[in-house]
Amino acid sequence: MEWQFSADTVPSSFVTEAQARSLLGKPPATGAWRDGDPVGSRRFLHVGPLRFEAGGSLGAVRIAYETWGELSPSRDNAVLVLHALTGDSHLVGAAGDGHVTAGWWGGIVGPGLAIDTDRWFVVAPNMLGGCQGSTGPASLAPDGTEWGTRFPYLTIRDQVAAQMAFGDRLGIDRWAAVVGGSMGGMHALEWAIEAPERVARVAVLAAPPVTTADQIALNSVQIEAIRSDPLFRSGDYYDADDGPTRGLALARRMALLNYRSPAELNLRFERAWQSEISPLGAGGRFAVESYLDFHGNKFTRRFDANSYITLVQAMDSHDVGRGRGGVAAALSRVTARAVVVGIDSDRLFPVEGQRRIARHLRHNIDGADPVVLESGYGHDGFLIETETIGAQLDRLLD
Ligand SMILES: CC(=O)SCCNC(=O)CCNC(=O)[C@H](O)C(C)(C)COP(=O)(O)OP(=O)(O)OC[C@H]1O[C@@H](n2cnc3c(N)ncnc32)[C@H](O)[C@@H]1OP(=O)(O)O
Ligand SMILES: N[C@@H](CCO)C(=O)O
């Protein structure tokens, strides 16, 4: 266990596209990261122009993605895996540039695993608005500077529209399965509702049919934590030497409280006190505070604050029933064979949401019920409980 971070640590920030281009010796103009260019194990495709629900638009959109396995000659074995709020395209460790990283679903995707890459062609895009290669607020606009606050307001449906255009460019008319957890589960649900003819199977893990007032409230204090950091500079911080790392780290601490369960935190950290690194002499911190600080600070090195706000607001927009006659009517459009998984200790997206989804799906493999996993890990159980989550995906794909 490492203890090197304190609440006062000022971490180095997320690396923007402009900085990355400079490090790679690429000219600071927009247009690099051409279609098919590999960067590590990532590739890129451009789609667009796209118009968005709230009225904004983007002339061109870059989608970063990774794939595993082989597409069959009849193109009928493609599985789309959609990541959660702060995830990315990197499902499985790869040695693209000699650097091996674990990937966020390494226990689920791979040869002989639940999503068996000897059988399925697995595609994982980074979502529109993100900051791991796809176009987002930290990407360069046509004028060569970051979009920043000029980036359009996005909804979950806008992000799925971008994923559909991406699927078109890949030449995949129909997915053998669309799988997503948390925010990725919102996307998966939208796919199955909006384009039932393109989705043979769908897995919705730890995601709700609508983002509730309670969940919007949890998101709103996180957004405010970022905005109230003076270094946020109303969103125009890309040219500054320092950014809103303190506000972003605080937002992540708040979010983490909803990602884990009270029982886990109590069991794991108890009232343990640590004073080894205290800057206060006689002071110190509770171990759980140190844990939150650690994750808050670590997060600022991989995520952009404007992107975080864009994605959280997209989650707030989620309501499968909007303009479709309500939740039940929307869900009744789904023709895909489905599995819906909830986690009993999830305090972010409680099981009641998954019950509501399962109740209205015509081809849910468990009838009117979701699968409810018993796990102490809370919402993050869909990332941690790979054996039990894998078993449910296995049932769907069998
Ligand atoms: C699809 C997607 O959602 S992708 C995004 C998923 N990734 C994330 O969310 C990134 C943040 N990470 C996490 O939330 C978690 O690591 C998970 C969900 C991925 C995995 O959970 P766990 O295996 O339970 O990891 P846990 O939350 O215990 O974190 C472990 C880290 O906390 C550190 N830690 C644990 N206790 C303490 C403490 N008291 N003080 C400081 N640091 C601590 C550990 O040293 C370890 O550090 P490391 O990441 O450098 O190895
Ligand atoms: N740990 C996940 C939780 C949200 O589902 C993430 O950061 O994306």
Side-chain angles (χ1 to χ4, degrees), residues 109-113 115-118:
V109 178
L113 296 180
I115 305 182
D116 186 348
T117 48
D118 288 335

Side-chain angles (χ1 to χ4, degrees), residues 34 36-45 63-67 89:
R34 290 180 207 293
D37 271 1
V39 176
S41 47
R42 261 192 261 159
R43 292 182 176 276
F44 303 90
L45 272 183
I63 300 292
Y65 69 103
E66 295 181 50
T67 68
S89 61

Side-chain angles (χ1 to χ4, degrees), residues 104-151:
W104 58 267
W105 245 10
I108 293 208
V109 178
L113 296 180
I115 305 182
D116 186 348
T117 48
D118 288 335
R119 177 180 176 198
W120 303 107
F121 175 62
V122 180
V123 181
N126 178 218
M127 69 174 85
L128 174 62
C131 55
Q132 305 297 333
S134 292
T135 300
S139 307
L140 298 177
D143 67 2
T145 63
E146 287 83 2
W147 283 102
T149 51
R150 297 173 296 164
F151 196 76

Side-chain angles (χ1 to χ4, degrees), residues 222-252:
Q222 292 172 41
I223 292 175
E224 193 49 32
I226 295 171
R227 288 190 173 145
S228 59
D229 183 334
L231 300 183
F232 182 60
R233 299 181 176 87
S234 304
D236 295 319
Y237 51 81
Y238 294 109
D239 288 335
D241 292 336
D242 42 18
T245 50
R246 190 171 285 267
L248 183 60
L250 178 55
R252 183 63 169 179

Side-chain angles (χ1 to χ4, degrees), residues 62-73:
R62 183 186 59 219
I63 300 292
Y65 69 103
E66 295 181 50
T67 68
W68 297 265
E70 296 292 327
L71 185 59
S72 64

Side-chain angles (χ1 to χ4, degrees), residues 18-348:
Q19 290 161 341
R21 292 166 62 86
S22 147
L23 286 171
L24 291 169
K26 289 187 184 255
T30 183
W33 315 125
R34 290 180 207 293
D35 287 3
D37 271 1
V39 176
S41 47
R42 261 192 261 159
R43 292 182 176 276
F44 303 90
L45 272 183
H46 283 79
V47 299
L50 295 177
R51 298 197 65 79
F52 303 122
E53 276 195 278
S57 63
L58 286 172
V61 163
R62 183 186 59 219
I63 300 292
Y65 69 103
E66 295 181 50
T67 68
W68 297 265
E70 296 292 327
L71 185 59
S72 64
S74 52
R75 308 178 93 77
D76 63 354
N77 69 332
V79 173
L80 182 66
V81 180
L82 302 170
H83 66 78
L85 176 66
T86 73
D88 53 37
S89 61
H90 202 56
L91 292 182
V92 187
D97 52 2
H99 178 71
V100 182
T101 54
W104 58 267
W105 245 10
I108 293 208
V109 178
L113 296 180
I115 305 182
D116 186 348
T117 48
D118 288 335
R119 177 180 176 198
W120 303 107
F121 175 62
V122 180
V123 181
N126 178 218
M127 69 174 85
L128 174 62
C131 55
Q132 305 297 333
S134 292
T135 300
S139 307
L140 298 177
D143 67 2
T145 63
E146 287 83 2
W147 283 102
T149 51
R150 297 173 296 164
F151 196 76
Y153 177 91
L154 297 179
T155 64
I156 293 288
R157 292 186 197 178
D158 293 328
Q159 294 176 313
V160 169
Q163 290 166 359
M164 288 182 181
F166 162 74
D168 293 343
R169 283 229 49 205
L170 276 183
I172 296 171
D173 296 333
R174 180 171 161 86
W175 297 94
V178 178
V179 175
S182 193
M183 188 172 180
M186 299 177 184
H187 292 133
L189 209 46
E190 275 293 337
W191 261 97
I193 292 167
E194 191 57 31
E197 71 289 354
R198 295 187 72 172
V199 182
R201 303 176 186 82
V202 65
V204 180
L205 315 173
V210 300
T211 299
T212 63
D214 180 50
Q215 291 147 6
I216 292 168
L218 294 169
N219 287 340
S220 96
V221 288
Q222 292 172 41
I223 292 175
E224 193 49 32
I226 295 171
R227 288 190 173 145
S228 59
D229 183 334
L231 300 183
F232 182 60
R233 299 181 176 87
S234 304
D236 295 319
Y237 51 81
Y238 294 109
D239 288 335
D241 292 336
D242 42 18
T245 50
R246 190 171 285 267
L248 183 60
L250 178 55
R252 183 63 169 179
R253 287 186 188 88
M254 293 173 177
L256 198 61
L257 293 178
N258 306 310
Y259 298 159
R260 310 306 281 242
S261 76
E264 184 206 358
L265 295 182
N266 291 338
L267 187 70
R268 188 167 167 187
F269 299 105
E270 299 180 312
R271 292 182 49 77
W273 181 256
Q274 60 185 71
S275 57
E276 297 95 312
I277 59 160
S278 169
L280 305 175
R285 288 180 298 166
F286 287 102
V288 70
E289 292 179 293
S290 166
Y291 174 72
L292 293 180
D293 292 343
F294 171 85
H295 277 296
N297 290 333
K298 187 175 175 186
F299 185 58
T300 63
R301 282 174 285 138
R302 72 177 179 90
F303 225 83
D304 172 57
N306 279 325
S307 185
Y308 191 77
I309 292 173
T310 296
L311 300 188
V312 165
Q313 287 176 331
M315 271 208 298
D316 285 349
S317 76
H318 177 58
D319 176 358
V320 296
R322 186 176 67 251
R324 293 172 176 150
V327 168
L331 290 169
S332 71
R333 294 186 188 191
V334 176
T335 53
R337 176 177 153 85
V339 68
V340 183
V341 179
I343 298 163
D344 62 353
S345 56
D346 188 341
R347 56 178 161 176
L348 180 63

